[in-house]
Amino acid sequence: MEIKTLDKLPEKIIIPLRQHRGMVCEPLVKKGDRVLIGQKIGESKDYNSSAVHSSVCGEVIAIEESAHPDGNKAMSIIIHPEECDETVAFSPCKDLKPEKLAELIKESGIVEHYGMPTHVVLKPKGKNIDTVLINATSSEWIGGTFKTPRDYASQMMDALKLLMKAAGAKKGAIVLRIDDKESIDAFEGIEVDKKKLRVAPLVGSRRIGYYFREQSSDIVVVSQKRIYGKKILNFFTYNVTGRKVDIGCDPTDVGVAICSIKSAKALYDAVHEGKPYYETVVSIEGFSDNMEYIRVKIGTPFKDIIEACGFTGEIGKIIANGVRTGVAQYTDLVPVTKGTTRISMQKPEEVIRDESVACIHCARCVDVCPVELIPSRLAVMADQGRFDECRVLHIDNCIECGDCAAVCPSKIHILQLIRYAKDAIEMAYEDMPSKESSNLKLGCACGGE
Ligand code: SF4
Ligand code: SF4
């Protein structure tokens, strides 16, 4: 698989000081400063925050609010890049103690694609992590990042041990996609503590606990079907470990830390090369029938990527992070951040503008739902504000994959309605322990009709 790169520097690089869920970073540079590749340019003392680094050499030309791919604006450091590869001195730091490793992750700016800093996932305050999972079910982009599939497997195994060490976890697993033959072949027979592992499929009721015992190893490699969706983490946790995550909770509440390949690779690079997280690979769809992949510096505007991919036609819509669940952009000057995984382009004629009409009870949404919900019913309940009934129908299990809305012939905005109800439920149960909240009744906006 070919991974493209930009053949010319963007006119400007826009690095948001908020690329994570915690406090916005404070800038460490000012207008007129010259910065180097890998230089820390923003940080926050807040534990839930993560440092930001310059991805280019150049001059800071402004620190101002700029478009952010989450649809809002964010204070950003704008750099005019120079044709220069000068980096700050990178120093590898192997054999770190667990707490120093967690600090390195924060300092290196490593963040999960959904915005949570990786050190917070591994060391959440007041919780203990006993199992670390690397979700490698979406690994199409690995070709350009690792020299060979075997190289990928050994780096991921090393990264898993580092993540486990940082978290203080005794068990760990790498989860591959069941049809990703290349990755499965790469991991098959890999040695851990002089034991050869086999890639085990998660079938039936067998979860990783079974394979830890069967392979007499604290580290296993398993495979499962890929699950798409914005909120897959809780479902993924259940599928892989068998631990159920309550509504309003996340995997760390049941002792599980989930990291992506990108953050695992970023940690590997930080430890072995001393390199912070300043570049990423994003997939581009909409130019041709095939997905394209491009390695870019964080802060590169979408506009430069679109041009580099050779797209010249009229664009109807640009969406960050997937057509079904992503965010439509109002400008192509929005930059790639640590959370950007995909840029989708739609031609004007592809943009869906149809008004939704009444449900025809075709049950297509029920057929496609991967977690066996009744989306049509949930949408009606949500629309009428009958949130208690949404809970009875297990709305919290929805992983927000958007499949139901995609197949609906009546163009009903099922996913938006479900999200609306989930937000309302989450707000209503905020600050209540899950045991207590499960016995409470929510108020109903429409009087229960
Ligand atoms: S209800 Fe819709 S968005 Fe939610 S999991 Fe089912 S198909 Fe996906
Ligand atoms: S797919 Fe659309 S029209 Fe068909 S049952 Fe579901 S909500 Fe109704």
Side-chain angles (χ1 to χ4, degrees), residues 134-180:
I134 294 183
N135 180 0
T137 55
S138 123
S139 58
E140 293 90 342
W141 58 277
I142 64 170
T145 307
F146 303 92
K147 285 195 191 100
T148 62
R150 200 67 187 184
D151 192 29
Y152 158 60
S154 70
Q155 286 194 26
M156 281 301 108
M157 198 49 88
D158 195 2
L160 177 62
K161 289 177 189 164
L162 291 168
L163 292 165
M164 287 166 63
K165 187 174 172 186
K170 292 221 160 37
K171 308 263 184 199
I174 296 176
V175 187
L176 307 175
R177 203 178 63 239
I178 209 154
D179 61 355
D180 181 3

Short mmCIF file of all heavy atoms in Angstrom, two decimals, residues 134-180:
data_model
loop_
_atom_site.label_atom_id
_atom_site.label_comp_id
_atom_site.label_asym_id
_atom_site.label_seq_id
_atom_site.Cartn_x
_atom_site.Cartn_y
_atom_site.Cartn_z
N ILE A 134 -4.31 -3.13 22.89
CA ILE A 134 -4.03 -2.29 21.72
C ILE A 134 -5.07 -2.67 20.68
O ILE A 134 -5.15 -3.83 20.25
CB ILE A 134 -2.61 -2.51 21.16
CG1 ILE A 134 -1.56 -2.05 22.18
CG2 ILE A 134 -2.44 -1.75 19.85
CD1 ILE A 134 -0.12 -2.16 21.69
N ASN A 135 -5.90 -1.69 20.31
CA ASN A 135 -6.91 -1.94 19.28
C ASN A 135 -6.25 -1.79 17.91
O ASN A 135 -6.05 -0.68 17.43
CB ASN A 135 -8.08 -0.97 19.44
CG ASN A 135 -9.15 -1.20 18.38
OD1 ASN A 135 -9.02 -2.08 17.53
ND2 ASN A 135 -10.20 -0.40 18.43
N ALA A 136 -5.91 -2.94 17.30
CA ALA A 136 -5.25 -2.91 15.99
C ALA A 136 -6.20 -3.41 14.91
O ALA A 136 -5.78 -3.97 13.90
CB ALA A 136 -3.99 -3.78 16.04
N THR A 137 -7.51 -3.19 15.13
CA THR A 137 -8.48 -3.69 14.15
C THR A 137 -8.58 -2.76 12.93
O THR A 137 -9.23 -3.11 11.97
CB THR A 137 -9.88 -3.86 14.78
OG1 THR A 137 -10.27 -2.62 15.35
CG2 THR A 137 -9.89 -4.94 15.83
N SER A 138 -7.96 -1.57 13.03
CA SER A 138 -7.97 -0.72 11.84
C SER A 138 -6.52 -0.41 11.51
O SER A 138 -5.96 0.56 11.98
CB SER A 138 -8.79 0.53 12.13
OG SER A 138 -8.08 1.67 11.94
N SER A 139 -5.89 -1.27 10.73
CA SER A 139 -4.44 -1.12 10.54
C SER A 139 -4.07 -1.00 9.08
O SER A 139 -2.97 -1.33 8.69
CB SER A 139 -3.73 -2.32 11.16
OG SER A 139 -4.21 -3.49 10.57
N GLU A 140 -4.99 -0.51 8.25
CA GLU A 140 -4.72 -0.43 6.82
C GLU A 140 -3.53 0.48 6.51
O GLU A 140 -2.88 0.32 5.50
CB GLU A 140 -5.94 0.12 6.05
CG GLU A 140 -7.15 -0.78 6.06
CD GLU A 140 -8.06 -0.49 7.22
OE1 GLU A 140 -7.62 0.15 8.20
OE2 GLU A 140 -9.22 -0.93 7.17
N TRP A 141 -3.29 1.42 7.38
CA TRP A 141 -2.25 2.42 7.10
C TRP A 141 -0.86 1.98 7.49
O TRP A 141 0.10 2.68 7.28
CB TRP A 141 -2.59 3.72 7.84
CG TRP A 141 -2.69 3.48 9.31
CD1 TRP A 141 -3.78 3.01 9.97
CD2 TRP A 141 -1.68 3.63 10.27
NE1 TRP A 141 -3.50 2.88 11.30
CE2 TRP A 141 -2.21 3.25 11.52
CE3 TRP A 141 -0.36 4.07 10.23
CZ2 TRP A 141 -1.47 3.28 12.68
CZ3 TRP A 141 0.37 4.09 11.40
CH2 TRP A 141 -0.18 3.70 12.61
N ILE A 142 -0.71 0.78 8.03
CA ILE A 142 0.59 0.43 8.62
C ILE A 142 1.71 0.31 7.60
O ILE A 142 2.86 0.47 7.93
CB ILE A 142 0.53 -0.88 9.44
CG1 ILE A 142 0.20 -2.07 8.54
CG2 ILE A 142 -0.42 -0.76 10.59
CD1 ILE A 142 0.38 -3.39 9.25
N GLY A 143 1.35 0.02 6.33
CA GLY A 143 2.35 -0.23 5.30
C GLY A 143 3.47 0.79 5.23
O GLY A 143 4.63 0.44 5.10
N GLY A 144 3.14 2.07 5.30
CA GLY A 144 4.17 3.09 5.15
C GLY A 144 4.86 3.44 6.45
O GLY A 144 5.83 4.18 6.46
N THR A 145 4.35 2.95 7.56
CA THR A 145 4.90 3.32 8.85
C THR A 145 5.97 2.33 9.31
O THR A 145 6.93 2.69 9.96
CB THR A 145 3.77 3.39 9.90
OG1 THR A 145 2.77 4.25 9.36
CG2 THR A 145 4.23 3.93 11.21
N PHE A 146 5.77 1.07 8.95
CA PHE A 146 6.72 0.02 9.35
C PHE A 146 7.33 -0.58 8.09
O PHE A 146 6.66 -0.71 7.07
CB PHE A 146 5.98 -1.06 10.13
CG PHE A 146 5.26 -0.53 11.34
CD1 PHE A 146 3.94 -0.13 11.27
CD2 PHE A 146 5.92 -0.40 12.54
CE1 PHE A 146 3.28 0.38 12.37
CE2 PHE A 146 5.27 0.11 13.65
CZ PHE A 146 3.95 0.50 13.57
N LYS A 147 8.60 -0.97 8.21
CA LYS A 147 9.28 -1.49 7.01
C LYS A 147 8.65 -2.79 6.53
O LYS A 147 8.44 -3.01 5.34
CB LYS A 147 10.75 -1.70 7.33
CG LYS A 147 11.53 -0.40 7.40
CD LYS A 147 13.03 -0.66 7.35
CE LYS A 147 13.78 0.61 7.69
NZ LYS A 147 14.26 0.67 9.06
N THR A 148 8.36 -3.68 7.46
CA THR A 148 7.76 -4.97 7.09
C THR A 148 6.66 -5.29 8.10
O THR A 148 6.66 -4.75 9.21
CB THR A 148 8.80 -6.11 7.17
OG1 THR A 148 9.23 -6.20 8.54
CG2 THR A 148 10.00 -5.86 6.27
N PRO A 149 5.75 -6.20 7.77
CA PRO A 149 4.72 -6.58 8.75
C PRO A 149 5.34 -7.14 10.03
O PRO A 149 4.86 -6.90 11.14
CB PRO A 149 3.92 -7.66 8.01
CG PRO A 149 4.12 -7.36 6.57
CD PRO A 149 5.51 -6.81 6.45
N ARG A 150 6.45 -7.86 9.90
CA ARG A 150 7.10 -8.43 11.09
C ARG A 150 7.66 -7.31 11.99
O ARG A 150 7.64 -7.41 13.22
CB ARG A 150 8.21 -9.38 10.62
CG ARG A 150 8.65 -10.37 11.66
CD ARG A 150 7.56 -11.38 11.97
NE ARG A 150 7.93 -12.23 13.08
CZ ARG A 150 7.22 -13.23 13.52
NH1 ARG A 150 6.07 -13.53 12.95
NH2 ARG A 150 7.62 -13.95 14.52
N ASP A 151 8.15 -6.26 11.33
CA ASP A 151 8.65 -5.10 12.04
C ASP A 151 7.50 -4.47 12.84
O ASP A 151 7.64 -4.09 14.01
CB ASP A 151 9.16 -4.13 10.95
CG ASP A 151 9.98 -3.01 11.53
OD1 ASP A 151 10.59 -3.23 12.56
OD2 ASP A 151 9.99 -1.92 10.91
N TYR A 152 6.35 -4.38 12.18
CA TYR A 152 5.13 -3.86 12.82
C TYR A 152 4.80 -4.70 14.07
O TYR A 152 4.58 -4.17 15.15
CB TYR A 152 3.99 -3.90 11.78
CG TYR A 152 2.59 -3.91 12.31
CD1 TYR A 152 2.10 -2.88 13.10
CD2 TYR A 152 1.71 -4.95 11.98
CE1 TYR A 152 0.80 -2.88 13.56
CE2 TYR A 152 0.41 -4.96 12.43
CZ TYR A 152 -0.05 -3.94 13.23
OH TYR A 152 -1.34 -3.96 13.68
N ALA A 153 4.80 -6.03 13.89
CA ALA A 153 4.43 -6.91 15.00
C ALA A 153 5.41 -6.76 16.16
O ALA A 153 4.99 -6.64 17.32
CB ALA A 153 4.40 -8.36 14.51
N SER A 154 6.71 -6.73 15.88
CA SER A 154 7.64 -6.68 17.01
C SER A 154 7.59 -5.31 17.69
O SER A 154 7.68 -5.22 18.92
CB SER A 154 9.06 -7.08 16.60
OG SER A 154 9.59 -6.08 15.80
N GLN A 155 7.39 -4.23 16.92
CA GLN A 155 7.28 -2.91 17.56
C GLN A 155 6.01 -2.81 18.42
O GLN A 155 6.01 -2.23 19.50
CB GLN A 155 7.27 -1.80 16.50
CG GLN A 155 8.64 -1.56 15.90
CD GLN A 155 8.71 -0.25 15.12
OE1 GLN A 155 7.96 0.69 15.38
NE2 GLN A 155 9.60 -0.19 14.16
N MET A 156 4.92 -3.38 17.92
CA MET A 156 3.66 -3.34 18.69
C MET A 156 3.79 -4.15 19.98
O MET A 156 3.27 -3.78 21.02
CB MET A 156 2.50 -3.89 17.84
CG MET A 156 1.93 -2.92 16.83
SD MET A 156 1.30 -1.40 17.57
CE MET A 156 2.52 -0.24 17.04
N MET A 157 4.49 -5.27 19.90
CA MET A 157 4.66 -6.10 21.09
C MET A 157 5.49 -5.34 22.13
O MET A 157 5.18 -5.32 23.31
CB MET A 157 5.35 -7.41 20.67
CG MET A 157 5.21 -8.52 21.66
SD MET A 157 3.53 -8.78 22.25
CE MET A 157 2.89 -9.91 21.05
N ASP A 158 6.54 -4.66 21.64
CA ASP A 158 7.38 -3.87 22.53
C ASP A 158 6.54 -2.72 23.14
O ASP A 158 6.59 -2.46 24.34
CB ASP A 158 8.56 -3.31 21.71
CG ASP A 158 9.65 -2.79 22.60
OD1 ASP A 158 9.51 -2.90 23.81
OD2 ASP A 158 10.64 -2.25 22.08
N ALA A 159 5.74 -2.08 22.27
CA ALA A 159 4.91 -0.97 22.74
C ALA A 159 3.89 -1.45 23.78
O ALA A 159 3.63 -0.76 24.76
CB ALA A 159 4.18 -0.32 21.56
N LEU A 160 3.33 -2.65 23.57
CA LEU A 160 2.35 -3.16 24.53
C LEU A 160 3.02 -3.33 25.91
O LEU A 160 2.44 -2.96 26.94
CB LEU A 160 1.77 -4.50 24.05
CG LEU A 160 0.80 -5.17 25.02
CD1 LEU A 160 -0.44 -4.30 25.26
CD2 LEU A 160 0.35 -6.55 24.51
N LYS A 161 4.24 -3.85 25.91
CA LYS A 161 4.94 -4.02 27.20
C LYS A 161 5.19 -2.66 27.86
O LYS A 161 5.07 -2.52 29.07
CB LYS A 161 6.27 -4.76 26.98
CG LYS A 161 6.06 -6.23 26.63
CD LYS A 161 7.39 -6.89 26.36
CE LYS A 161 7.20 -8.28 25.81
NZ LYS A 161 8.43 -8.81 25.19
N LEU A 162 5.54 -1.65 27.04
CA LEU A 162 5.75 -0.30 27.60
C LEU A 162 4.45 0.27 28.16
O LEU A 162 4.43 0.86 29.25
CB LEU A 162 6.28 0.64 26.50
CG LEU A 162 7.70 0.37 26.00
CD1 LEU A 162 7.98 1.17 24.73
CD2 LEU A 162 8.72 0.75 27.07
N LEU A 163 3.36 0.07 27.42
CA LEU A 163 2.05 0.58 27.89
C LEU A 163 1.66 -0.12 29.19
O LEU A 163 1.16 0.51 30.13
CB LEU A 163 0.98 0.34 26.82
CG LEU A 163 1.10 1.16 25.52
CD1 LEU A 163 0.24 0.58 24.42
CD2 LEU A 163 0.73 2.62 25.77
N MET A 164 1.89 -1.44 29.26
CA MET A 164 1.56 -2.19 30.49
C MET A 164 2.41 -1.70 31.66
O MET A 164 1.92 -1.55 32.77
CB MET A 164 1.80 -3.69 30.25
CG MET A 164 0.76 -4.33 29.35
SD MET A 164 1.28 -5.96 28.76
CE MET A 164 1.40 -6.91 30.25
N LYS A 165 3.67 -1.42 31.37
CA LYS A 165 4.57 -0.94 32.43
C LYS A 165 4.08 0.42 32.95
O LYS A 165 3.99 0.65 34.16
CB LYS A 165 5.98 -0.82 31.86
CG LYS A 165 7.04 -0.49 32.88
CD LYS A 165 8.40 -0.55 32.21
CE LYS A 165 9.49 -0.05 33.11
NZ LYS A 165 10.79 0.03 32.42
N ALA A 166 3.74 1.32 32.01
CA ALA A 166 3.27 2.66 32.41
C ALA A 166 1.99 2.56 33.23
O ALA A 166 1.78 3.32 34.18
CB ALA A 166 3.05 3.52 31.18
N ALA A 167 1.12 1.61 32.86
CA ALA A 167 -0.18 1.48 33.55
C ALA A 167 -0.06 0.66 34.84
O ALA A 167 -0.96 0.70 35.67
CB ALA A 167 -1.17 0.80 32.61
N GLY A 168 1.03 -0.08 34.99
CA GLY A 168 1.14 -1.01 36.13
C GLY A 168 0.22 -2.20 35.94
O GLY A 168 -0.25 -2.80 36.90
N ALA A 169 -0.04 -2.56 34.67
CA ALA A 169 -0.98 -3.66 34.38
C ALA A 169 -0.21 -4.97 34.21
O ALA A 169 0.88 -4.99 33.64
CB ALA A 169 -1.77 -3.35 33.12
N LYS A 170 -0.83 -6.06 34.68
CA LYS A 170 -0.15 -7.36 34.57
C LYS A 170 -0.46 -8.06 33.25
O LYS A 170 0.28 -8.93 32.80
CB LYS A 170 -0.61 -8.26 35.73
CG LYS A 170 -0.12 -7.78 37.09
CD LYS A 170 0.31 -8.96 37.94
CE LYS A 170 1.23 -8.59 39.07
NZ LYS A 170 1.00 -7.36 39.76
N LYS A 171 -1.62 -7.72 32.66
CA LYS A 171 -2.03 -8.43 31.44
C LYS A 171 -2.15 -7.46 30.27
O LYS A 171 -2.46 -6.27 30.46
CB LYS A 171 -3.42 -9.07 31.64
CG LYS A 171 -3.53 -9.94 32.88
CD LYS A 171 -3.32 -11.38 32.56
CE LYS A 171 -3.53 -12.24 33.78
NZ LYS A 171 -2.94 -13.54 33.67
N GLY A 172 -1.96 -8.00 29.08
CA GLY A 172 -2.09 -7.15 27.89
C GLY A 172 -2.45 -7.98 26.67
O GLY A 172 -2.15 -9.18 26.60
N ALA A 173 -3.11 -7.33 25.72
CA ALA A 173 -3.49 -8.05 24.49
C ALA A 173 -3.46 -7.10 23.31
O ALA A 173 -3.74 -5.90 23.44
CB ALA A 173 -4.89 -8.65 24.63
N ILE A 174 -3.10 -7.67 22.16
CA ILE A 174 -3.21 -6.92 20.90
C ILE A 174 -4.39 -7.53 20.16
O ILE A 174 -4.48 -8.76 20.03
CB ILE A 174 -1.90 -7.03 20.09
CG1 ILE A 174 -0.77 -6.35 20.88
CG2 ILE A 174 -2.07 -6.39 18.70
CD1 ILE A 174 0.60 -6.45 20.27
N VAL A 175 -5.32 -6.67 19.73
CA VAL A 175 -6.53 -7.17 19.08
C VAL A 175 -6.47 -6.84 17.59
O VAL A 175 -6.47 -5.67 17.20
CB VAL A 175 -7.81 -6.55 19.71
CG1 VAL A 175 -9.06 -7.20 19.13
CG2 VAL A 175 -7.78 -6.69 21.22
N LEU A 176 -6.38 -7.86 16.77
CA LEU A 176 -6.31 -7.68 15.31
C LEU A 176 -7.69 -7.86 14.70
O LEU A 176 -8.60 -8.37 15.36
CB LEU A 176 -5.36 -8.72 14.71
CG LEU A 176 -3.95 -8.79 15.31
CD1 LEU A 176 -3.18 -9.94 14.67
CD2 LEU A 176 -3.21 -7.49 15.09
N ARG A 177 -7.80 -7.48 13.43
CA ARG A 177 -9.07 -7.70 12.72
C ARG A 177 -9.02 -9.08 12.09
O ARG A 177 -8.01 -9.46 11.51
CB ARG A 177 -9.23 -6.60 11.66
CG ARG A 177 -10.66 -6.36 11.25
CD ARG A 177 -10.77 -5.25 10.24
NE ARG A 177 -10.09 -5.59 9.02
CZ ARG A 177 -9.09 -4.88 8.50
NH1 ARG A 177 -8.66 -3.79 9.10
NH2 ARG A 177 -8.52 -5.24 7.38
N ILE A 178 -10.13 -9.80 12.20
CA ILE A 178 -10.13 -11.21 11.82
C ILE A 178 -9.83 -11.43 10.34
O ILE A 178 -9.30 -12.47 9.95
CB ILE A 178 -11.47 -11.87 12.26
CG1 ILE A 178 -11.25 -13.35 12.57
CG2 ILE A 178 -12.58 -11.65 11.26
CD1 ILE A 178 -12.22 -13.93 13.54
N ASP A 179 -10.12 -10.41 9.48
CA ASP A 179 -9.82 -10.59 8.05
C ASP A 179 -8.53 -9.89 7.64
O ASP A 179 -8.23 -9.79 6.45
CB ASP A 179 -11.00 -10.09 7.19
CG ASP A 179 -11.26 -8.60 7.42
OD1 ASP A 179 -10.61 -8.01 8.30
OD2 ASP A 179 -12.11 -8.04 6.71
N ASP A 180 -7.74 -9.42 8.59
CA ASP A 180 -6.48 -8.74 8.28
C ASP A 180 -5.36 -9.79 8.27
O ASP A 180 -4.58 -9.94 9.20
CB ASP A 180 -6.22 -7.66 9.35
CG ASP A 180 -4.95 -6.88 9.10
OD1 ASP A 180 -4.28 -7.11 8.07
OD2 ASP A 180 -4.62 -6.02 9.95
#
